[in-house]
Amino acid sequence: MTPVLSVRDLSVRFRMRGGRHIAAVGGASFDLAAGECLALVGESGCGKSVLASALLGLLPGNAQTSGTAVIDGIDLLAADERTLARTVRGRRIGLVPQSPAAHLTPVRTVRAQLQETLRELSGTPRAELRAAAVAAAERAAFPPGLLDHYPHELSGGQAQRAATALALVGDAPLLLADEPTTGLDRDLVDRTADELRRHADGGRALLLITHDLAAAERIADRVAVMYAGRIVELTGATRFFGAPGPRHPYARGLLAALPERDFTPIEGMPPELGALPDGCAFAPRCDRADDACRAVPPLRDGVACHHAEEAARA
Amino acid sequence: MLELDTVTAGYDPRTPVFRGASLTIAPGEAVGLLGPSGCGKSTLARVAALLHRPDAGRVAVDGREVRGWRHRAPRDLRTAIGVVFQQPRMSADPRLRLRDLIAEPLRATGRRAEADERVAELARTAGLTGDLLGRRPHEVSDGQLQRACLARALVLRPRWLVCDEMTAMLDASTTAALVAVVEAYRREHGAGLLAVGHDRVLLERWCDRTEEWADCVRTA
Ligand code: SF4
């Protein structure tokens, strides 16, 4: 089956003052199929949000990209703004934003925003807009009784659903959820995650960008761990969260830091993206580092480490 | 003791965010307050940190009832309490370098002379290495900025700490690291803690006991 999204060797660099460069994303490659959820996890500043912005064509002017990211025959990294605006954002990629309250237009009701998006993206005739808006709300489990509310009158969970309803309108084959659960309490995290999963089960591809490992564990089929701009592990969610567990030392440390596990932090902090060490970026914090780690480890068999934990015997 | 006794608070006295909230923390004790988002627990955290005057009820710190509120409590009382919020970018002055951000409470209380030594010591404790202290908030990550905000909360050696969703934006490792900094400080200084949040697993692992929001307030 052809993947919905195919990313190859995607890199993003920012040109800074004084000729400096920041390597925000380095050589990311992955495929994402219909009906599948891939969770991209990592700490703030690891490059996962930059990767999302690159897919949506929303990088700032000083960004340089290389590689390809193909959806439906369109290379998102090469497409011009007109193509992205008219055929990609909303139509091929639906964005479930990080702060829905900020994403919704404050001075317009949810109904007005849904109807406008419906008119724009699906050309729904005026006479059918009302019914279509109700249907769109219901798809995202947004209570139709609240359609005439303004964003500030909604709770966090309701605003998240309104934003999801908007993201679903264009029937985009790929849903990109950028930290959709930040600031929500656990029940709402679970509900939001489950609803996103439902849309994947309905046949969409779902790219979940999050620092919340519990949300990833709940709904992801595969997990990609990012560290200092690179995907250091890409593996099945069951293996990752269950047995045998992650194979990359950073991914192992991240899981072990959870309060339901060891609750011990990984010593130190990630390197500056503007001053990455030669070789493996995790080496200064890694207790397995040796001379071999002076070369950047390629992602092989789903892990980028010279001394990865053994893959479990079959 | 840090005591909140039948406290009512909000932003409009006609429609308080909560009524009749009571909570007592013993010296050196760590109490987690669990509640859903939007329930008013952040407002309670601000009252406990003496940053928000309650409409009714009594607040006492170490046996001394808090009086003389304006919007906040008088400074000499407030310095007994260090506070860290969820969103470091909203609570940190964007113009200050991290070094000055951490030292700010010392300057404000006329203890500028101690600043260099104390900041260096806290930066080490909070894991702020290298040239990070010379940077401004927009030049560091959320996790690094939150480390600085925690260092600032500790700079006056408070007897109490209030952490309002301190780690909600952070990854697992940074979360564990910040909690470890708080706990190391509490071990050394015997400080009490109120940690407000929605993550049950985290607060139960972190605190001596956890309280449910619904059990602390008489009526919402
Ligand atoms: S390549 Fe070396 S330094 Fe990097 S994670 Fe693996 S063992 Fe550690």
Side-chain angles (χ1 to χ4, degrees):
Chain A
M1 196 167 63
T2 33
V4 170
L5 173 70
S6 188
V7 174
R8 286 295 169 276
D9 223 4
L10 189 163
S11 297
V12 182
R13 297 205 311 167
F14 294 110
R15 218 172 337 102
M16 307 304 281
R17 256 176 308 173
R20 281 197 315 128
H21 280 94
I22 289 182
V25 180
S29 296
F30 59 87
D31 286 335
L32 188 52
E36 186 190 35
C37 170
L38 172 68
L40 189 57
V41 304
E43 56 206 277
S44 83
C46 75
K48 58 192 194 306
S49 294
V50 174
L51 194 153
S53 302
L55 298 180
L56 291 162
L58 294 175
L59 289 171
N62 64 337
Q64 305 167 331
T65 60
S66 61
T68 58
V70 177
I71 185 166
D72 234 348
I74 302 170
D75 181 357
L76 301 169
L77 302 183
D80 55 30
E81 171 55 28
R82 189 183 150 91
T83 310
L84 290 166
R86 293 196 163 192
T87 71
V88 173
R89 293 196 287 267
R91 293 177 203 269
R92 287 191 169 84
I93 306 180
L95 174 68
V96 180
Q98 167 160 17
S99 38
H103 194 75
L104 300 164
T105 313
V107 294
R108 308 189 55 210
T109 64
V110 176
R111 186 193 304 281
Q113 296 184 53
L114 268 175
Q115 292 189 352
E116 180 189 308
T117 309
L118 278 160
R119 211 170 35 227
E120 236 172 60
L121 292 183
S122 57
T124 310
R126 191 166 282 278
E128 293 163 28
L129 273 179
R130 250 191 116 73
V134 172
E138 281 171 346
R139 271 207 294 183
F142 181 85
L146 299 181
L147 276 170
D148 292 315
H149 281 49
Y150 290 91
H152 72 267
E153 299 173 312
L154 303 174
S155 72
Q158 289 161 352
Q160 185 56 262
R161 287 175 185 183
T164 307
L166 283 169
L168 294 173
V169 161
D171 263 325
L174 173 65
L175 274 185
L176 197 165
D178 186 9
E179 299 279 6
T181 60
T182 297
L184 302 181
D185 57 69
R186 189 44 58 196
D187 289 348
L188 265 175
V189 167
D190 289 352
R191 240 187 304 156
T192 304
D194 290 351
E195 279 162 18
L196 288 170
R197 178 72 237 185
R198 197 160 52 76
H199 300 306
D201 291 338
R204 296 166 202 257
L206 172 61
L207 182 57
L208 171 68
I209 292 177
T210 187
H211 70 267
D212 182 345
L213 293 169
E217 176 170 17
R218 194 169 174 92
I219 63 166
D221 300 299
R222 284 188 302 149
V223 180
V225 181
M226 257 182 121
Y227 184 76
R230 292 185 170 265
I231 294 180
V232 296
E233 182 153 5
L234 177 58
T235 187
T238 327
R239 295 175 59 88
F240 186 84
F241 290 107
R247 296 178 54 206
H248 192 281
Y250 172 68
R252 295 179 72 80
L254 199 58
L255 267 196
L258 284 172
E260 56 268 52
R261 301 195 184 204
D262 300 345
F263 206 31
T264 36
I266 306 167
E267 284 290 316
M269 277 192 290
E272 297 294 324
L273 296 176
L276 288 179
D278 292 332
C280 176
F282 189 61
R285 307 171 75 183
C286 181
D287 54 15
R288 299 183 182 195
D290 64 11
D291 283 353
C293 307
R294 288 197 206 143
V296 176
L299 188 74
R300 215 181 285 127
D301 296 330
V303 58
C305 171
H306 295 300
H307 308 293
E309 194 74 13
E310 290 289 310
R313 282 138 291 176
Chain B
M1 300 275 237
L2 180 59
E3 295 165 87
L4 273 68
D5 183 12
T6 46
V7 165
T8 295
Y11 303 89
D12 175 352
R14 286 164 300 178
T15 53
V17 176
F18 60 84
R19 287 177 210 275
S22 297
L23 187 69
T24 301
I25 307 173
E29 188 186 27
V31 175
L33 177 60
L34 271 166
S37 47
C39 71
K41 60 189 191 300
S42 286
T43 307
L44 182 135
R46 296 187 67 86
V47 173
L50 310 187
L51 295 172
H52 186 97
R53 169 205 209 137
D55 297 332
R58 199 180 76 97
V59 180
V61 182
D62 300 315
R64 190 171 153 205
E65 178 162 354
V66 180
R67 295 176 193 280
W69 292 90
R70 289 168 186 272
H71 179 64
R72 306 187 288 187
R75 187 190 295 282
D76 63 316
L77 282 167
R78 271 191 280 131
T79 53
I81 305 181
V83 54
V84 191
F85 300 104
Q86 171 173 359
Q87 303 223 15
R89 295 209 185 269
M90 287 170 72
S91 55
D93 184 334
R95 296 163 306 183
L96 292 184
R97 298 178 190 281
L98 298 199
R99 171 181 301 116
D100 300 320
L101 192 81
I102 298 170
E104 199 184 20
L106 284 172
R107 290 173 211 275
T109 50
R111 293 158 61 184
R112 191 181 292 259
E114 296 168 50
D116 285 354
E117 195 183 329
R118 190 83 184 112
V119 168
E121 178 190 330
L122 278 167
R124 232 182 355 262
T125 316
L128 289 169
T129 47
D131 67 340
L132 286 171
L133 288 177
R135 301 214 199 147
R136 296 198 168 84
H138 72 273
E139 297 167 316
V140 302
S141 72
D142 287 350
Q144 290 164 341
L145 188 55
Q146 193 66 306
R147 285 172 195 261
C149 288
L150 175 55
R152 179 181 56 180
L154 302 179
V155 81
L156 295 178
R157 296 198 179 83
R159 291 185 302 279
W160 301 95
L161 276 172
V162 175
C163 299
D164 180 15
E165 297 274 20
M166 176 178 75
T167 62
M169 318 268 292
L170 305 175
D171 64 284
S173 178
T174 310
T175 296
L178 287 183
V179 169
V181 173
V182 169
E183 289 309 294
Y185 175 83
R186 293 199 326 106
R187 265 196 309 279
E188 192 182 334
H189 296 270
L193 167 73
L194 173 63
V196 172
H198 63 255
D199 188 335
R200 179 177 302 277
V201 182
L202 172 67
L203 292 188
E204 285 181 350
R205 178 79 187 245
W206 178 3
C207 299
D208 300 320
R209 66 182 161 97
T210 51
E211 294 288 335
E212 305 289 331
W213 173 254
D215 298 333
C216 293
V217 284
R218 209 171 44 204
T219 46

